Amino acid sequence: MKKKLLWLLLVLQVIFFLPWGLGQAAGIPPKPARDIYVVDEAGVLSSRTKQIILAYSSALAKRTKTQVVVLTVPTLDGESIEDYGLSVLREWGIGDKKENNGVLLLVATKDRKSRIEVGYGCLLYTSPSPRDRQKS
């Protein structure tokens, strides 16, 4: 009897808690088939701004394999911006998989939050050098 109860609890845990434990954000938009560099789900970017982001990001990706993606969403639906951003970075496969050099600029307009999520391959370009950190 105890064994059956343990199995039942295990099955229920897997069904109800595993999807959230894997970092799957509920409201993540599907990865775009094209023009991945700018996704304006919140509808706040002008078409000219989208064109500029697309042009700069495309040129950067061609030269360095680094992908910089801008994503605007209306809300995070109660999820932390850190978890949401990391989920998008991983699910969309932003950046070169081997070099882990993707950058996500995330803006949640109604939540009034923003975050820049950076793959480890880009930390060299975004983090101050140890010498600079000692000065502050």
Side-chain angles (χ1 to χ4, degrees):
M1 181 67 173
K2 274 187 174 181
K3 213 175 206 181
K4 287 182 181 181
L5 183 60
L6 285 174
W7 275 106
L8 178 62
L9 288 174
L10 180 64
V11 168
L12 290 175
Q13 183 178 5
V14 168
I15 291 171
F16 290 110
F17 297 110
L18 188 59
W20 293 279
L22 293 176
Q24 300 290 326
I28 290 180
K31 180 180 178 178
R34 60 191 236 13
D35 296 342
I36 186 175
Y37 301 114
V38 58
V39 179
D40 185 22
E41 293 286 314
V44 295
L45 301 176
S46 69
S47 59
R48 178 73 179 133
T49 301
K50 291 178 194 176
Q51 290 172 352
I52 292 170
I53 293 169
L54 187 60
Y56 279 117
S57 294
S58 297
L60 182 66
K62 284 179 186 173
R63 281 191 318 211
T64 67
K65 293 186 181 176
T66 299
Q67 290 182 326
V68 177
V69 175
V70 176
L71 170 62
T72 69
V73 294
T75 182
L76 301 169
D77 293 324
E79 186 166 355
S80 75
I81 195 160
E82 296 85 3
D83 290 343
Y84 192 95
L86 193 56
S87 293
V88 170
L89 197 68
R90 288 179 177 160
E91 286 184 29
W92 286 14
I94 298 171
D96 184 79
K97 188 173 185 173
K98 183 179 177 186
E99 299 196 23
N100 195 8
N101 59 354
V103 177
L104 173 68
L105 285 80
L106 173 62
V107 178
T109 55
K110 290 180 183 174
D111 297 333
R112 301 180 61 93
K113 292 182 180 180
S114 63
R115 180 160 177 92
I116 300 173
E117 203 63 59
V118 180
Y120 285 114
C122 291
L123 289 178
L124 173 69
Y125 307 114
T126 59
S127 298
S129 71
R131 185 182 62 220
D132 293 338
R133 281 180 273 192
Q134 291 174 356
K135 289 180 183 178
S136 29

